[in-house]
């Protein structure tokens, strides 16, 4: 009985430590879209405590050439160290990041921030010859037009609303 | 199979590095502000794809060469990229068409490579295939806009079609490396992607009111490191910093 309790206590402690590490890493904002965190976007895949006690965060890049990837990795490492952990960040390529991992709450945060959230996942090149209907994050109108497929960062396209006339970013599907 | 895989990764990485470099030359010079954002973004994708491939190639080779060593510290003859991607940018029409020819091919290649029995290549491809969709769409839209545009833009697009078509045969070349890898299910057979490529190009050209090029003599040599004169000039700029200050880091 005594032994069982000790084991249970150790397990509970390990769980609490892992949760603390996750919370520290998960709170890191995305450097280019600071209204959402790396956890909201699904960039932070997991945080585990390794046998040597270090917190190991697994991170997946959004785009192959995303210049923010390195900044994100450094921020996560810093956040873990500040929470008192020895930290390592590992980059994982598989499964490939997709905008489908952006949760409903994060989509709402993006909209509030003025960025239209991704509408649907991309498939073949044929399906993409057609225009996607993107609602204006300010007024909600779907009377919008794409100005450019490539906006201020690799993950965004540039749109304009024909109803309220405001330009806006669209977080494109990948 | 390691030797073949290393060679293939280098070829594809070189294609992306060299084309990424070419496309990046537009930064600050594109015809509109939107294009000045779009082209460097595309270049970023291409260079990002090259980085993943070089890093993996270095691991496969096992001689301690990292992405920088492979990208910056080789001689011209050691680059095995397609001649198409080293073509100078020319006018905007030529840049757009080079993008169309290459990205339509790569879209099919990445899609098939995503099913590779090699897990790392499959993972790199799974990401790249989605990015390539946007590259195809960007190039196709411009081809249509310019081909079916003014007399001047149509003339320039038609000239680009003629100028670059002789560099497309190399896309589908096969040799012992591609044969061995496709048999092992590691990488697609480039020749198997030709019919799909021709169909997509024909669809875009029809929409753009551009005539399909007739039979033409095809250049070859890039995969063996035999380059055009332009490659030396490109490498001089690309490698300048690392050659002047070897081992330089940020
Ligand atoms: Zn609006």
């Amino acid at each position: 009985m005594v032994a069982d309790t000790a084991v249970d206590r150790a397990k509970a402690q390990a769980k609490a430590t892992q949760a603390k590490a996750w919370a520290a890493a998960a709170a890191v904002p995305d450097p280019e879209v600071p209204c959402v965190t790396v956890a909201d976007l699904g960039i932070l895949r997991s945080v585990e405590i390794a046998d040597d006690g270090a917190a190991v965060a697994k991170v997946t890049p959004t785009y192959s050439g995303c210049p923010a990837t390195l900044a994100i990795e450094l921020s996560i490492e810093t956040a873990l160290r500040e929470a008192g952990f020895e930290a390592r960040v590992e980059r994982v390529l598989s499964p490939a990041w997709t905008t489908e991992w952006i949760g409903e709450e994060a989509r709402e945060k993006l909209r509030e921030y003025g960025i239209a959230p991704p509408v649907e996942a991309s498939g073949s090149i044929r399906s993409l010859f057609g225009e996607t209907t993107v609602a204006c994050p300010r007024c909600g109108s779907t009377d919008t037009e794409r100005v450019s497929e490539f906006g201020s960062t690799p993950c965004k396209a540039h749109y304009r609303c024909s109803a309220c006339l405001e330009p806006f970013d669209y977080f494109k599907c990948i | 199979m390691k030797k073949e895989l290393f060679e293939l990764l280098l070829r594809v990485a070189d294609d992306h590095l060299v084309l990424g470099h070419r496309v990046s030359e537009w930064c600050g010079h594109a015809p509109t502000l939107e294009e000045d954002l779009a082209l460097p973004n595309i270049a970023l994708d291409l260079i990002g794809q090259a980085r993943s491939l070089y890093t993996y190639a270095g691991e496969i080779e096992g001689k301690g060469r990292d992405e920088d060593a492979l990208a910056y510290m080789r001689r011209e003859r050691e680059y095995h990229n397609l001649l198409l991607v080293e073509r100078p940018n020319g006018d905007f029409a030529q840049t757009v068409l080079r993008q169309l020819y290459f990205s339509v091919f790569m879209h099919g290649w990445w899609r098939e490579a995503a099913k590779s029995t090699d897990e790392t290549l499959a993972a790199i491809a799974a990401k790249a295939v989605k990015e390539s969709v946007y590259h195809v769409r960007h190039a196709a839209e411009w081809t249509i806009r310019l081909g079916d545009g003014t007399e001047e833009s149509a003339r320039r697009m038609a000239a680009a079609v003629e100028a670059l078509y002789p560099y497309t045969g190399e896309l589908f070349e096969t040799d012992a490396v591609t044969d061995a890898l496709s048999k092992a299910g590691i990488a697609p057979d480039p020749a198997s992607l030709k019919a799909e490529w021709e169909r997509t190009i024909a669809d875009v050209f029809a929409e753009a009111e551009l005539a399909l090029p007739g039979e033409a003599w095809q250049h070859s040599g890039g995969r063996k490191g035999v380059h055009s004169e332009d490659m030396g000039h490109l490498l001089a700029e690309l490698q300048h910093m690392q050659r002047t200050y070897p081992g330089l880091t940020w």
Side-chain angles (χ1 to χ4, degrees), chain A residues 136-141 161-166:
Chain A
C136 170
R138 291 174 204 281
C139 73
S141 168
C161 176
S162 307
C164 71
L165 305 178
E166 285 289 328

Side-chain angles (χ1 to χ4, degrees), chain A residues 60-67 91 93-94 96-100 122-132 146-156 158-159 170 172-174, chain B residues 34-35 37-39 41-42 44-49 51-52 104 107 119-120 122-124 126-138 140-141 144-145 196 199-200 203-204:
Chain A
T60 184
T62 52
Y63 278 75
S64 302
C66 181
R91 198 178 292 187
L93 295 178
S94 182
W97 184 83
T98 159
T99 35
E100 286 166 37
S122 58
S124 77
I125 49 178
R126 310 246 154 222
S127 73
L128 276 173
F129 278 120
E131 292 269 333
T132 319
R146 194 180 74 219
V147 179
S148 177
E149 191 77 85
F150 297 86
S152 52
T153 65
C155 58
K156 285 177 256 155
H158 187 197
Y159 272 70
Y170 165 58
K172 57 193 193 198
C173 289
I174 195 154
Chain B
E34 286 74 19
E35 274 315 293
L37 286 172
L39 290 169
N41 263 317
I42 291 170
L44 263 181
D45 282 347
L46 294 168
I47 291 165
Q49 290 156 1
R51 291 183 62 180
S52 301
V104 169
H107 178 72
E119 274 178 36
T120 307
I124 295 169
K127 174 139 299 267
V129 67
K130 295 180 178 179
E131 293 161 355
S132 74
V133 170
Y134 287 101
H135 300 179
V136 170
R137 186 151 107 170
H138 173 263
E141 285 181 357
I144 293 164
R145 194 173 301 145
E196 177 190 346
R199 217 165 37 240
T200 306
D203 286 354
V204 174

